[in-house]
């Protein structure tokens, strides 16, 4: 099954940019997923298992290094592909 996850990280510290960049770098290094970065969030696309492994791995590392909050939207489709309305 294909999946897309939109993820945002909000570190609870003054120097917030480095932890966000570290999450993006971890996601970009993950195999078998495609990453799209925009100013408000990062999108991860691919096979559900690969996407969730990349996201949970990046989140665990980030939270060990900097406390913060993650906001996720998980879709059971590839959000990049056009989908007909029912």
């Amino acid at each position: 099954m294909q999946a897309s996850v939109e993820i945002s990280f909000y570190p609870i510290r003054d120097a917030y940019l480095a932890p966000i960049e570290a999450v993006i770098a971890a996601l970009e290094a993950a195999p078998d997923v495609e990453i799209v970065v925009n100013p408000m969030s990062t999108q991860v696309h691919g096979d559900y298992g690969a996407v969730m492994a990349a996201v949970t791995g990046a989140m665990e590392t980030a939270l060990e290094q900097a406390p913060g909050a993650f906001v996720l939207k998980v879709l059971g489709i590839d959000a990049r592909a056009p989908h007909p309305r029912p």
Side-chain angles (χ1 to χ4, degrees):
M1 173 176 76
Q2 292 295 299
S4 294
V5 172
E6 183 178 77
I7 181 171
S8 298
F9 181 39
Y10 303 95
I12 304 171
R13 59 193 285 184
D14 289 336
Y16 61 88
L17 192 54
I20 294 170
E21 290 172 338
V23 168
I24 293 169
L27 292 170
E28 289 176 333
D32 303 321
V33 297
E34 183 178 323
I35 308 303
V36 178
V37 179
N38 64 56
M40 296 299 293
S41 66
T42 299
Q43 299 165 358
V44 186
H45 306 282
D47 177 75
Y48 180 85
V51 166
M52 296 308 289
V55 168
T56 58
M59 288 173 50
E60 182 176 8
T61 301
L63 292 173
E64 288 172 346
Q65 296 173 358
F70 279 93
V71 176
L72 304 174
K73 292 179 190 174
V74 180
L75 291 85
I77 58 171
D78 184 336
R80 299 168 297 174
H83 296 281
R85 292 181 173 244

